[in-house]
């Protein structure tokens, strides 16, 4: 294990539970207990006076949205017990508490993915902790490849539903013992992307002249981009966009009764023709994020302003 260099080693830093990766604590956990989640939530409460009911997760290239938070308390993932730090460029690793569009929010500026070699329990831990901090609505964003041929780079897509290609066949974050005090063993997923929140997002987009596509997000394991045959398969099974995140987080949010609004920023058109000379790459994903971020922010602000209490 690497040496501990984190701020909470320093004298005077508030007492924290002994759960950090450097302790050999939570690093490889496949399962966390309610008690462990609660200890992490209690630790965060000592770091901020904000008490958010809304959580947001920022996808690749969308980190700039966190700069809009007022009265912000920023806490590095490296300083939060159990939180993993992303190894992916374009993902900062901090939790930002504060005020956005008149609401108390907590924003994940960067997320981790299963392809980084982390157990699903670690990928989804921040969502569990946000729910235990009082988050009842989660806005999940991501960068996604456009599978629907009508979509182009820079589009926003309201996620109506997902195809959990990883989680349908294993790799589901709910595999393992179920703690009934967190959520049910068998979870309904037909309203995963809350219909009232979707209506609200569509109304806000129409009012403010923000173009908003709608569609099904296919959650893939990554980190390879798709082959042309895989893209044609995804089209056949009804996907409109694809990416390497979101699905595990949404499953865990629903497990804890948190309502979800999901929005993809289409960062690139995917390639369905084996003879095409184009290639997908992470740089175009990040560049599209810069175009998408202002539109996405306007949409999220509008939703937050009109979100019922
Ligand atoms: N495929 C998978 N994930 C992605 C893509 C893509 O083309 N773009 C951004 N995330």
């Amino acid at each position: 294990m690497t040496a501990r260099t984190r701020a909470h080693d320093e004298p005077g830093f508030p007492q924290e539970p002994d759960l950090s990766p450097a302790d050999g604590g939570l690093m490889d956990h496949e399962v966390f207990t309610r008690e462990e989640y609660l200890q992490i939530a209690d630790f965060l409460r000592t770091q901020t006076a904000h008490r958010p009911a809304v959580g947001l997760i920022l996808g690749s290239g969308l980190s700039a949205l966190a700069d809009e938070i007022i009265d912000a308390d920023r806490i590095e993932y490296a300083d939060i017990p159990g939180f993993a730090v992303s190894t992916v460029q374009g993902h900062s690793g901090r939790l930002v508490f504060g005020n956005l569009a008149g609401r108390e929010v907590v924003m994940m500026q960067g997320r981790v993915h299963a392809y980084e070699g982390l157990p699903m329990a670690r990928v989804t831990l921040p969502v569990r902790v946000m729910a235990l901090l009082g988050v009842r609505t989660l806005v999940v964003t991501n960068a996604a490849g456009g599978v629907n041929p009508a979509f182009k780079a820079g589009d926003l897509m309201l996620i109506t539903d997902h195809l959990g290609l990883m989680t349908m066949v294993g790799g589901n974050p709910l595999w393992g013992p179920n703690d009934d005090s967190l959520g049910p063993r068998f979870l309904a997923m037909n309203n995963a992307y809350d219909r009232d929140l979707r209506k609200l997002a569509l109304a806000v987009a129409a009012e403010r002249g923000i173009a908003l596509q709608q569609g099904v997000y296919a959650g893939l394991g990554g980190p390879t981009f798709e082959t042309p045959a895989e893209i044609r398969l995804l089209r056949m099974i009804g996907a409109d966009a694809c990416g390497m995140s979101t699905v595990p987080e949404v499953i865990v949010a629903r497990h804890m009764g948190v309502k979800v609004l999901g929005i993809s920023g289409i960062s690139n058109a995917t390639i369905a023709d084996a003879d095409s000379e184009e290639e997908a790459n992470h740089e175009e994903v990040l560049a599209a994020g810069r175009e998408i971020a202002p539109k996405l922010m306007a949409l999220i602000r509008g939703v937050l302003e009109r979100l019922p209490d």
Side-chain angles (χ1 to χ4, degrees):
M1 290 284 157
T2 51
R4 299 184 64 179
T5 55
R6 297 163 314 144
H8 55 268
D9 286 332
E10 286 155 22
F13 201 83
Q15 206 53 42
E16 56 148 290
D18 190 18
L19 300 174
S20 63
D23 298 308
L26 296 183
M27 188 59 172
D28 301 317
H29 269 44
E30 302 286 343
V31 180
F32 292 90
T33 63
R34 180 188 183 84
E35 204 44 47
E36 286 168 330
Y37 293 128
L38 282 170
Q39 283 178 4
I40 300 166
D42 285 346
F43 166 73
L44 289 170
R45 282 196 196 95
T46 68
Q47 303 296 298
T48 180
H50 293 293
R51 296 292 177 260
V54 178
L56 300 102
I57 304 180
L58 302 184
S60 292
L62 303 173
S63 273
L65 300 191
D67 299 339
E68 310 238 347
I69 293 191
I70 298 169
D71 197 13
D73 289 325
R74 297 184 175 84
I75 308 168
E76 300 294 321
Y77 294 163
D79 292 329
I80 307 173
F83 272 52
V85 180
S86 179
T87 55
V88 180
Q89 193 203 344
H91 281 267
S92 339
R94 63 182 77 82
L95 214 46
V96 186
F97 289 82
N99 200 284
L100 185 64
R103 301 244 161 202
E104 293 265 275
V105 301
V106 52
M107 194 178 260
M108 285 179 66
Q109 196 179 18
R111 56 151 67 89
V112 292
H113 311 78
Y115 65 74
E116 295 178 69
L118 294 160
M120 279 296 179
R122 295 259 295 172
V123 172
T124 55
L125 175 132
V127 175
R128 294 266 186 219
V129 172
M130 284 195 281
L132 289 171
L133 281 171
V135 164
R136 306 312 306 147
T137 303
L138 183 65
V139 181
V140 187
T141 70
N142 57 51
V147 173
N148 184 324
F151 293 1
K152 51 186 192 323
D155 282 356
L156 288 183
M157 185 191 88
L158 179 65
I159 304 178
T160 54
D161 204 347
H162 74 217
L163 284 162
L165 292 173
M166 260 192 298
T167 53
M168 281 167 75
V169 293
N172 192 305
L174 303 187
W175 274 28
N178 188 63
D179 180 342
D180 295 339
S181 74
L182 294 175
R185 170 78 291 182
F186 299 105
L187 175 66
M189 284 295 287
N190 57 304
N191 191 31
Y193 299 86
D194 188 81
R195 56 184 84 81
D196 294 334
L197 291 176
R198 281 189 280 123
K199 269 189 212 146
L200 178 55
L202 288 168
V204 168
E207 266 169 28
R208 304 192 178 195
I210 303 167
L212 186 58
Q213 309 276 15
Q214 298 188 65
V216 173
Y217 174 89
L220 312 171
T224 45
F225 289 109
E226 301 67 40
T227 64
E230 286 164 349
I231 292 300
R232 295 195 301 276
L233 171 76
L234 291 173
R235 284 184 184 162
M236 277 189 267
I237 61 176
D240 296 291
C242 66
M244 307 171 191
S245 67
T246 302
V247 167
E249 296 152 353
V250 171
I251 290 173
V252 165
R254 295 304 302 139
H255 190 238
M256 298 186 75
V258 175
K259 290 184 178 174
V260 174
L261 175 67
I263 307 164
S264 290
I266 304 297
S267 56
N268 53 287
T270 56
I271 299 157
D273 172 4
D275 293 329
S276 166
E277 292 189 4
E278 289 173 50
E279 263 185 24
N281 64 76
H282 191 55
E283 286 64 41
E284 70 179 343
V285 174
L286 297 183
R290 289 188 280 279
E291 182 191 336
I292 290 163
K295 290 193 279 185
L296 184 57
M297 195 70 232
L299 181 61
I300 289 174
R301 275 185 184 284
V303 168
L304 292 183
E305 281 165 13
R306 291 183 38 186
L307 199 62
D309 287 321

